[in-house]
Amino acid sequence: MRDPRSVLITGASSGIGRALAMRYSQPGRSLALSGRDQKRLDETAALCTELGTTVRRTIVDVTDADAMRSWIAQSDELAPLDLVIANAGVSAGTGAGGEDADQARHIFRTNLDGVVNTIHPAIDCMKPRDRGQIAIISSLAAYRGFPGAPAYCASKAAVRTYGQALRGALHRHGIGVTVVCPGFVRSAMTDTNDYAMPLMMEAARAADIIVRGIEKNRANVAFPWLLHGAVWLFAALPAAWTDPLFRRLPEKS
């Protein structure tokens, strides 16, 4: 969607979420931002306000379906939503001695349930108007399960496939859906990794690529292209060829 006047972004307190909020900031535009950290969310809001944007910020847990439904409905009443970006997510892996059930459930609640809790209230607001756009932040990790981060890869694969399917289902309602699969982007999430991250990208650069893809209503925005090609190839190859390699990859803490 070109020139959305009202944009809602979850996970806007840092990383890609903050970069997207700043990228969409301009006079005459309204932003509804959420996050988990009040101080960092306030910092994002201040940066966006300096750029002339009307900003409303809220601390809300994306796993709380009722709270999300209420926040999104209120945001839409104040400024009918043109674009909703489901960005909030968490990451963890097996580096602390294995991924237990509680960790896996926490990741799924945030990365999968959190997306559902974001996009469906937004769809309910957009359908009567027969217009709008949804963007879902997935990951290149969605293309193939990596032993070092099982639940993270699976949760991102789920929202990637879900978004692809919704794109067709919502077309008749005039609602576009774009699925975004970034590689390594500098953020608080990647700052915890103590291993090499190839083709690391700054959040501002990632935001530029994402915004261009959303403006063109692209089905998929995957980057950087070299890493995208690599994970696509690994996903296509037989597991007997790739499993020995993946077992030697470093674990995520």
Side-chain angles (χ1 to χ4, degrees), residues 77-159:
E77 288 178 5
L78 291 170
L81 296 169
D82 297 313
L83 170 63
V84 169
I85 303 177
N87 168 71
V90 295
S91 176
T94 59
E99 183 169 83
D100 61 22
D102 287 341
Q103 177 175 292
R105 290 191 184 99
H106 172 63
I107 292 171
F108 280 117
R109 279 195 300 269
T110 304
N111 295 1
L112 180 52
D113 290 352
V115 167
V116 173
N117 294 340
T118 302
I119 66 175
H120 277 278
I123 291 168
D124 291 341
C125 293
M126 292 173 178
K127 272 186 177 179
R129 299 192 287 265
D130 289 322
R131 63 178 176 82
Q133 189 163 5
I134 304 291
I136 298 171
I137 307 300
S138 178
S139 168
L140 288 183
Y143 284 78
R144 210 282 187 189
F146 295 98
Y152 179 77
C153 293
S155 67
K156 292 301 186 179
V159 297

Side-chain angles (χ1 to χ4, degrees), residues 194-217:
D194 56 1
Y195 50 82
M197 290 171 280
L199 303 176
M200 171 74 82
M201 184 177 293
E202 297 298 327
R205 171 62 178 150
D208 286 343
I209 295 171
I210 294 168
V211 169
R212 286 200 301 270
I214 290 173
E215 287 178 346
K216 296 175 181 177
N217 189 28

Side-chain angles (χ1 to χ4, degrees), residues 40-76:
R40 291 190 299 172
L41 187 61
D42 288 346
E43 291 171 353
T44 301
L47 291 169
C48 295
T49 300
E50 289 176 3
L51 296 171
T53 309
T54 299
V55 181
R56 298 183 304 278
R57 58 192 181 277
T58 303
I59 296 296
V60 60
D61 185 348
V62 293
T63 68
D64 187 333
D66 291 337
M68 288 295 290
R69 186 181 304 109
S70 176
W71 172 56
I72 291 170
Q74 291 172 5
S75 298
D76 190 71

